[in-house]
Amino acid sequence: MSSLAALYAMPPASGRMLLMPMTQDGRAGLARVAVAHGARLIAAGPWAGSLVVEGRRDALARPLLMSGVLAIAADAGGCGDLG
């Protein structure tokens, strides 16, 4: 069951994903790091400090993780359809 949850939360290879800062540094640099690695900002996320972006997982995953930010599928974060 936990592997199904992990697959559901895994961000898409390309498309919308929810970025959730896990540290204060992650929160402070979230938008800057995401944009620097090709993400397009879509909207504020459902939780304080989170963002919904559109981008490529392979370009974003490592820099975000090193910055204290977790990327998950936008649908898994309760974002629904943002238009």
Side-chain angles (χ1 to χ4, degrees):
M1 192 66 161
S2 62
S3 59
L4 286 176
L7 284 175
Y8 176 69
M10 185 174 190
S14 181
R16 290 188 180 187
M17 53 194 85
L18 174 63
L19 306 183
M20 298 179 9
M22 307 315 284
T23 65
Q24 280 300 108
D25 289 341
R27 187 174 187 169
L30 176 57
R32 178 184 50 78
V33 172
V35 170
H37 291 89
R40 184 172 64 99
L41 303 178
I42 302 293
W47 296 288
S50 66
L51 288 175
V52 178
V53 301
E54 191 169 293
R56 295 183 45 85
R57 181 181 62 213
D58 60 350
L60 292 167
R62 184 175 174 89
L64 289 171
L65 195 55
M66 292 176 66
S67 297
V69 177
L70 181 64
I72 65 170
D75 292 343
C79 296
D81 184 19
L82 295 170

